[in-house]
Amino acid sequence: MSRAGWRIAEGFNLHASLVLRCSEPVPVASSDRITLLYSALMLEDEFPDFRERRELYRNCKHAEAAHILVIVDAAEIRRIWIWERRRPGRPSDYRESLEPERPEDLARLLRIACEDLTVSGEVESPAPAIPAAIARSLGSRWQAGVPACDRMVSGPHLREAVAGASGPNETRQLWRALSRIRIVDLSCGDGSWLLEAAAELESLYAACLGRMAGWVLDSEHVSRSGSGRHRDFRLLLARVENRSRGRPDRYIRDRVILFNLHGVAGCALDALVTRSRLTRGLAAADGNLDTPYPLPETELRIVTGETHTGREGCLPGAEDSQGNLFLARARECEEAFSIVRDLHLGGSADRRELATAYSEIRKRREALVAWYRREKSAAGGALVRLDELYLHFPELLEHARSTIIRRP
Amino acid sequence: MKAHSLPALTIIASVDEDYPSPVKMRLGREAPGRLVLSGAESLLHQPLHAIFCSLQPPADLVLSAIDRAHQLITRPAPVIGGFQSPVEKLILKILLRDGHRIIICAARKLEGMRLKSEWSDAMREGRLLLISGVERRRRTDAMLAATRNRLVAALASEISIVHAAPGGRIYRVTEAAIQWGIPVSCPMHRENEGIVLLGARPWPPGH
């Protein structure tokens, strides 16, 4: 490493690291602006799964500007390198690799990781837009004498504001605001931008659920009749428990995909990649990476189309009965989807029945879009004035204030 | 969404001539002592098609419900229901949008109730009737919902069931309706096998 221009961190002994816990990575070496962090597991620790490794990397991210994290099991057999690929104009992308055995391969891996981490230019991320969208969605209700709101809207403190909401009503409002957020990527490519948004929303949902659990616990301590308070929180927490069998991440990830994410891919391959990455994220939350196909619900959220513009004003007027008919049919599919989504998140629905329902909704929506295209081409675009995006996602019309759109 | 006041209420006592005879005949002593109506009262004296769906139907039946709603629009009979479960609400939306005639049976008293904004067009056009057999309570509970379902079934001349959970409220009302001789139909699904065995007719493919 020293030959590659890296400085070895002093006082670090590789074998002594066996006593370290996974949550305490230590710097091993550093170059100009990149630090190599090392995190070794104890004998009794299970090797962290995809989700935990990513979380660990994200936590380290706050401490260091750019870094590579190496996680090693207690027997020093399994070593995983984690870093992120930063590209100008694109969201950062989480990457990892097993440590190669041969020194030349190791050097190459180090070089690739460094190249990924050292880029110039602005890195695009949806994360900064999310607090502003939440603030817009909350509107004047939050502004009325809630000091946490100012901090929250400023962005960096959003998660802390969610976790430290000073009253149950604030938590309720935040939960609703989170459910109203609509992230729309009109050129989703490999889905990185959507995944970045999903990661941000997941942490906010988790903070909100944690605060709800806190309110329930507080109410039980404060009064004997506390068990009847915060019924909505109790129901939701029971639903999370029921749905995810002790792993709230699965519920949260499902919720983010089913409520918040909308993608339009330019080609079928991009759509497939994005759906597969979302499916993989869900599978990782289950601790099962063997799910071989994109789940049917992701097919409803990531659509293929080249004619979406997402421009405002592409809605039918009052006199445009044909456009209104299309929109009504699209809303019908959306209503059906929202019922199926609630059954899905409720946790008791049969997986095969859900898949059938999602597939049927997708087929109907595709038939509607095909019909719309036929009518539009027959009329030369004169009679039907409706953006195709709204046939896929009519809910966006009702959530304009809390929608974040990334245009091509 | 803005709610409006209900139009004038009409009360029909069980001794009145206007009181629907099937209700007395089918419910007997359980028949409500009075019915409170608001809206297009003439709908009450037509053959009615009732629709029911449980609170948590199998996911793949949601779209069957939409298809059924579209089919009901093509039929002359007004549709009656409680329209309380999510699927029933969706059916109501479709019926309201497509200009069908509807009777909503509330499981609470109508006095003090507000007219939802999405119902106001149908009310103005004379194709919506609100009805209630509840006299005292203002809030809906499970018992009132069960009583309301029996009233809906008693008023109907034909019933469509989207889903009846075995042993649930809709299952029990289906059982009663079949005993009263009302034709009942449902989509083919393993969850509906119980009511098919009771005598419900499966919807034909494509229904």
Side-chain angles (χ1 to χ4, degrees):
Chain A
M1 291 198 82
S2 51
R3 266 185 293 168
W6 286 67
R7 293 191 311 277
I8 307 298
E10 288 178 9
F12 176 75
N13 182 332
L14 199 68
H15 299 291
S17 67
L18 283 173
V19 298
L20 294 173
R21 295 193 67 82
C22 185
S23 57
E24 296 169 353
V26 292
V28 186
S30 62
S31 69
D32 285 345
R33 53 184 295 274
I34 300 173
T35 312
L36 189 70
L37 299 172
Y38 186 93
S39 182
L41 301 171
M42 292 174 69
L43 277 171
E44 63 268 26
D45 288 336
E46 277 186 30
F47 203 86
D49 62 16
F50 171 82
R51 176 187 58 83
E52 290 163 336
R53 292 198 295 271
R54 184 175 178 174
E55 187 62 26
L56 186 60
Y57 185 83
R58 283 171 63 85
N59 288 342
C60 301
K61 201 174 172 179
H62 295 297
E64 301 292 336
H67 63 278
I68 303 162
L69 175 67
V70 185
I71 300 177
V72 186
D73 66 359
E76 292 198 25
I77 295 170
R78 195 172 176 192
R79 292 161 168 258
I80 291 189
W81 286 44
I82 307 160
W83 70 97
E84 64 184 1
R85 184 168 50 157
R86 296 176 174 180
R87 289 167 294 175
R90 300 288 300 275
S92 57
D93 195 9
Y94 176 78
R95 308 193 85 184
E96 64 178 38
S97 167
L98 280 173
E99 185 178 285
E101 286 180 8
R102 295 192 308 169
E104 57 269 32
D105 291 339
L106 187 64
R108 202 172 63 203
L109 179 64
L110 189 65
R111 196 174 60 247
I112 290 169
C114 290
E115 281 170 8
D116 282 348
L117 282 162
T118 50
V119 289
S120 56
E122 195 180 337
V123 178
E124 187 187 357
S125 165
I130 289 175
I134 289 179
R136 266 206 313 276
S137 170
L138 288 168
S140 56
R141 277 167 296 173
W142 261 87
Q143 310 301 335
V146 183
C149 181
D150 297 334
R151 287 174 59 223
M152 183 194 78
V153 174
S154 70
H157 303 292
L158 176 58
R159 208 176 311 172
E160 286 82 352
V162 173
S166 58
N169 278 339
E170 288 172 27
T171 308
R172 265 184 208 105
Q173 286 179 15
L174 279 163
W175 182 262
R176 283 188 211 123
L178 276 171
S179 304
R180 279 196 298 265
I181 293 279
R182 298 290 178 265
I183 310 282
V184 188
D185 191 349
L186 294 178
S187 57
C188 61
D190 65 353
S192 297
W193 193 81
L194 280 178
L195 287 165
E196 184 94 357
E200 186 68 19
L201 287 168
E202 279 167 23
S203 66
L204 294 169
Y205 273 118
C208 220
L209 279 175
R211 194 70 191 104
M212 283 181 194
W215 290 122
V216 169
L217 206 62
D218 286 354
S219 71
E220 280 166 1
H221 286 161
V222 168
S223 69
R224 269 188 235 162
S225 59
S227 57
R229 295 182 68 193
H230 309 315
R231 190 165 170 268
D232 50 344
F233 292 168
R234 286 169 202 276
L235 283 173
L236 182 62
L237 291 167
R239 191 179 239 216
V240 173
E241 182 63 32
N242 186 28
R243 172 80 189 91
S244 50
R245 293 172 193 86
R247 301 189 75 148
D249 286 8
R250 174 64 205 238
Y251 175 88
I252 292 171
R253 210 157 280 188
D254 270 335
R255 195 175 175 90
V256 168
I257 291 175
L258 294 171
F259 273 85
N260 305 110
L261 301 189
H262 308 75
V264 180
C267 65
L269 183 64
D270 280 353
L272 182 66
V273 168
T274 307
R275 288 169 191 158
S276 300
R277 291 184 75 188
L278 290 172
T279 299
R280 199 171 164 77
L282 286 171
D286 270 350
N288 169 24
L289 290 175
D290 296 332
T291 308
Y293 52 86
L295 291 169
E297 58 264 37
T298 62
E299 291 179 353
L300 275 169
R301 311 312 281 167
I302 310 297
V303 298
T304 315
E306 291 168 356
T307 55
H308 302 90
T309 61
R311 280 185 287 112
E312 287 174 18
C314 290
L315 292 172
E319 75 289 348
D320 188 352
S321 58
Q322 201 182 13
N324 283 321
L325 172 68
F326 283 119
L327 209 50
R329 285 291 156 91
R331 284 200 166 109
E332 216 168 80
C333 286
E334 186 61 33
E335 293 268 358
F337 170 72
S338 71
I339 293 172
V340 176
R341 175 179 68 190
D342 286 348
L343 292 167
H344 182 168
L345 291 173
S348 53
D350 182 89
R351 185 69 237 180
R352 267 184 308 178
E353 289 168 0
L354 283 173
T356 309
Y358 284 132
S359 300
E360 184 60 29
I361 293 169
R362 181 178 56 81
K363 278 183 205 158
R364 288 182 185 209
R365 213 166 59 178
E366 282 171 359
L368 178 68
V369 172
W371 178 30
Y372 167 76
R373 285 178 184 165
R374 277 199 307 275
E375 291 290 322
K376 196 176 173 183
S377 62
L383 290 175
V384 187
R385 294 195 306 273
L386 176 64
D387 196 318
E388 221 174 89
L389 178 72
Y390 299 119
L391 291 180
H392 286 289
F393 307 120
E395 53 172 316
L396 295 178
L397 294 169
E398 279 85 48
H399 294 88
R401 281 173 66 82
S402 49
T403 300
I404 301 167
I405 297 187
R406 179 177 179 244
R407 293 174 199 284
Chain B
M1 268 180 256
K2 210 173 167 185
H4 306 277
S5 302
L6 284 186
L9 302 180
T10 306
I11 296 171
I12 307 178
S14 58
V15 291
D16 292 347
E17 273 183 18
D18 284 350
Y19 195 92
S21 51
V23 176
K24 274 192 222 170
M25 207 169 63
R26 289 165 177 166
L27 293 181
R29 277 186 298 179
E30 278 180 44
R34 59 170 208 162
L35 293 175
V36 182
L37 318 177
S38 175
E41 292 166 26
S42 60
L43 297 182
L44 194 60
H45 303 290
Q46 297 183 24
L48 302 174
H49 192 116
I51 191 144
F52 291 103
C53 181
S54 64
L55 280 171
Q56 291 197 317
D60 49 351
L61 284 181
V62 175
L63 291 152
S64 302
I66 293 180
D67 294 340
R68 191 60 167 178
H70 284 296
Q71 201 196 29
L72 290 178
I73 289 163
T74 63
R75 294 185 181 183
V79 177
I80 184 170
F83 300 110
Q84 213 174 5
S85 73
V87 170
E88 289 172 356
K89 281 180 186 165
L90 174 57
I91 291 170
L92 175 64
K93 264 189 194 173
I94 295 170
L95 296 174
L96 282 171
R97 191 197 65 210
D98 286 1
H100 202 62
R101 292 168 302 158
I102 302 150
I103 300 179
I104 299 174
C105 192
R108 50 160 289 180
K109 66 175 191 174
L110 291 189
E111 290 91 338
M113 192 172 156
R114 309 281 289 173
L115 183 70
K116 290 183 184 171
S117 61
E118 59 265 33
W119 299 353
S120 55
D121 281 352
M123 187 62 93
R124 205 172 39 246
E125 291 160 14
R127 52 188 180 90
L128 175 65
L129 171 67
L130 298 180
I131 180 172
S132 170
V134 181
E135 293 187 24
R136 292 191 192 88
R137 310 272 284 277
R138 284 192 67 165
R139 292 185 66 125
T140 304
D141 60 24
M143 200 186 74
L144 285 179
T147 313
R148 184 267 320 272
N149 287 348
R150 282 177 69 80
L151 175 62
V152 169
L155 281 164
S157 52
E158 194 179 344
I159 298 176
S160 289
I161 309 280
V162 178
H163 173 243
R169 276 207 300 266
I170 309 287
Y171 182 90
R172 288 198 294 274
V173 86
T174 309
E175 205 171 15
I178 288 170
Q179 278 171 5
W180 295 333
I182 302 172
V184 176
S185 59
C186 64
M188 269 312 288
H189 194 278
R190 62 183 169 82
E191 288 265 323
N192 281 340
E193 277 170 8
I195 55 172
V196 171
L197 287 175
L198 286 176
R201 239 175 337 106
W203 292 347
H207 48 86

